[in-house]
Amino acid sequence: MNFDFIQQDVLAQKEKSRYRQLVCNSTSNQHSGAEIVVNGQSYVNFSSNDYLGLNNHREINKALQEGIDKFGLCSSSSSLVTGYHYAHQALENDICQWLNKPKCLLFSSGFAANLALFQALGKNEQSHFYLDKLSHASMIDGAYHSKATVKRFHHNNIEQLTRLLSARNNNTTHHSATVKSTAEHPDKTPKNTFNTLIASEGVFSMDGCQAKVRELAQLAKSQQSWLYLDDAHSIGVIGDKGQGSNYFANVDITMATMGKALATSGAFLTCSEDLHDYLVNFSRHYIYSTAISPAIAWATRKSVALIQKEHWRREKIAELSALFIQLLAPEIKLVVSHSAIHALIIGDEKKALHISAQLKKQGIWLTAIRPPTVAVNSSRLRVTICSHHNIKNIRYLAECINKAIA
Ligand SMILES: *Cc1c(COP(=O)(O)O)cnc(C)c1O
């Protein structure tokens, strides 16, 4: 039969307890932000990425309507044709001010922005990418689908990364020496012939732990490399104004989705003037894709403004997270985190699914995360604590988890 693998692969997925199915969420804006309604049943939601509880915020909704009235819902073309509106430019400027960056570029999703960036910088094998082992699927796909030479370093292991970069330098010296002996090469000092990018996530999506941003930035500088951080889970949550990784150091390139803490949709990338110019001219994902909705861009401006001034949202995540960690039974394995994400490592897929089902019976929605999203034998419950949760929610969650696991 044609495309036999379709049925075979799905069957194999079922046998490994890795089968996935869409679940239709019927929550409406009549429900509180902490709730999820599925099949008419209401649950407290601990799997959402609405970290700052901004989804359905009255002022953001109002700004969306205003954006529709001013610019329309659809951009009606790609940015380089006629799709780039005042709303996009204004949002880019707001983001540049917030993160103190020269330039910002909008994409339709974080996944597309990652593909775009790695493909643009991975022009040929002279480009060398060094990715943290736990980098998101979209970074890995972007890197490996480019022409760059890709290396992965152990999660947050600065020593190993330093060794890898130094080895590259030794090869460079060797390489330029041979060039010199065979051809005219007037430059005496060995040149860095490679283009190097270090890439990681500000806050890791499935663990909640943070990259060592200051050390990475220092290393990048000393090794004449650029640092790229995916701030999907840091933006809004980390930093005194929710700036994410740029709070700790001046990161060369950052990307963040607007579909998590910013509670709208799309993504932005911040970079230098030169890289901005290059992407606008050469990034196929940018050039051949419809610009994001100008109304959504307009609504996101409101979200960015609220994030900078409403510190209580970040404080609440920290307080509730501390309470959760304190209430969990000591034998439960929890990844250390200062973000909104708290991973309870279970191991086996079946066990993780079983605990998730048990919690569901008690009115808690907590999706089990299984391979290939996480490594084999590290299936987990990924708890997200958001500013719309309350102390009662957290006490109940800890109580139910303790009973289900211990
Ligand atoms: C969610 C996520 C993305 C993708 O962003 P979308 O806007 O949802 O496509 C990229 N990187 C990381 C780390 C993410 O968690």
Side-chain angles (χ1 to χ4, degrees):
M1 207 188 78
N2 214 10
F3 296 104
D4 268 350
F5 66 83
I6 292 179
Q7 286 186 359
Q8 287 162 10
D9 288 1
V10 172
L11 192 65
Q13 190 86 333
K14 284 182 180 166
E15 282 165 356
K16 286 191 273 191
S17 298
R18 290 181 192 171
Y19 183 61
R20 295 138 190 247
Q21 257 178 314
L22 292 170
V23 173
C24 185
N25 175 340
S26 50
T27 319
S28 76
N29 61 4
Q30 307 303 313
H31 300 100
S32 91
E35 259 180 293
I36 180 170
V37 179
V38 177
N39 290 329
Q41 195 75 35
S42 170
Y43 304 85
V44 189
N45 188 357
F46 287 103
S47 289
S48 148
N49 295 326
D50 181 19
Y51 303 127
L52 300 175
L54 288 175
N55 191 18
N56 246 324
H57 191 286
R58 212 173 46 85
E59 285 183 51
I60 298 173
N61 289 358
K62 215 174 95 196
L64 180 70
Q65 186 59 55
E66 193 184 285
I68 294 173
D69 296 342
K70 276 183 194 281
F71 313 100
L73 176 57
C74 184
S75 70
S76 304
S77 101
S78 64
S79 296
L80 285 167
V81 181
T82 58
Y84 187 67
H85 286 248
Y86 173 71
H88 299 116
Q89 192 184 50
L91 173 61
E92 287 171 358
N93 289 341
D94 287 356
I95 293 171
C96 284
Q97 274 200 345
W98 178 27
L99 305 184
N100 194 20
K101 295 287 153 193
K103 277 289 184 184
C104 174
L105 201 61
L106 303 176
F107 285 86
S108 55
S109 75
F111 205 105
N114 269 335
L115 294 184
L117 178 84
F118 285 102
Q119 290 196 3
L121 294 185
K123 182 179 159 80
N124 53 39
E125 50 301 342
Q126 295 299 101
S127 295
H128 282 216
F129 295 158
Y130 293 82
L131 266 73
D132 187 288
K133 269 263 161 73
L134 292 190
S135 297
H136 190 260
S138 55
M139 298 170 75
I140 292 169
D141 283 9
Y144 283 105
H145 292 173
S146 79
K147 298 201 172 76
T149 309
V150 184
K151 294 209 167 70
R152 313 273 296 273
F153 60 94
H154 293 308
H155 174 53
N156 266 346
N157 192 327
I158 304 285
E159 290 77 30
Q160 192 211 7
L161 175 60
T162 309
R163 277 200 304 279
L164 288 172
L165 289 167
S166 308
R168 166 212 63 161
N169 286 349
N170 294 340
N171 290 344
T172 314
T173 321
H174 180 72
H175 175 69
S176 50
T178 40
V179 169
K180 212 161 122 190
S181 62
T182 52
E184 68 289 354
H185 199 270
D187 218 348
K188 283 229 173 72
T189 48
K191 248 197 188 153
N192 179 5
T193 50
F194 293 140
N195 298 312
T196 311
L197 183 77
I198 301 170
S200 187
E201 287 183 43
V203 164
F204 288 86
S205 57
M206 294 301 140
D207 288 67
C209 58
Q210 285 170 252
K212 298 170 179 169
V213 178
R214 287 194 190 95
E215 286 170 79
L216 286 173
Q218 239 171 15
L219 182 62
K221 207 167 175 191
S222 70
Q223 294 281 349
Q224 296 163 46
S225 307
W226 283 357
L227 176 61
Y228 172 66
L229 291 176
D230 178 332
D231 262 356
H233 304 276
S234 324
I235 204 74
V237 178
I238 305 291
D240 61 347
K241 288 183 186 158
Q243 313 88 318
S245 296
N246 282 293
Y247 173 71
F248 302 110
N250 187 5
V251 181
D252 300 302
I253 312 163
T254 44
M255 190 285 289
T257 171
M258 310 196 294
K260 287 169 180 145
L262 271 68
T264 61
S265 102
F268 68 79
L269 196 126
T270 61
C271 60
S272 66
E273 300 245 4
D274 286 348
L275 180 55
H276 177 275
D277 231 15
Y278 185 78
L279 290 169
V280 167
N281 279 278
F282 295 106
S283 167
R284 297 167 69 83
H285 286 91
Y286 189 75
I287 298 167
Y288 299 108
S289 188
T290 303
I292 67 162
S293 156
I296 290 181
W298 198 248
T300 308
R301 292 189 75 199
K302 178 52 80 178
S303 170
V304 166
L306 289 169
I307 286 175
Q308 291 181 71
K309 66 178 188 212
E310 296 195 345
H311 306 285
W312 67 267
R313 295 179 188 273
R314 284 178 284 280
E315 286 157 15
K316 193 146 172 229
I317 293 172
E319 281 162 26
L320 294 178
S321 294
L323 177 67
F324 176 62
I325 293 164
Q326 181 204 325
L327 292 174
L328 272 190
E331 63 270 25
I332 293 175
K333 266 206 276 179
L334 187 74
V335 180
V336 177
S337 146
H338 298 283
S339 68
I341 303 164
H342 302 277
L344 311 170
I345 310 291
I346 306 297
D348 181 62
E349 288 94 331
K350 278 205 187 91
K351 198 170 164 200
L353 283 176
H354 177 72
I355 296 169
S356 169
Q358 252 181 307
L359 293 171
K360 205 164 138 190
K361 280 188 205 142
Q362 287 161 308
I364 290 172
W365 196 274
L366 190 47
T367 313
I369 310 280
R370 295 163 285 161
T373 308
V374 293
V376 175
N377 283 328
S378 77
S379 288
R380 64 196 62 193
L381 300 170
R382 174 184 178 270
V383 176
T384 55
I385 293 182
C386 308
S387 64
H388 51 228
H389 288 128
N390 59 35
I391 292 177
K392 212 175 117 210
N393 296 148
I394 303 298
R395 285 192 185 282
Y396 184 62
L397 172 69
E399 191 185 305
C400 293
I401 288 178
N402 287 344
K403 265 193 232 148
I405 298 185

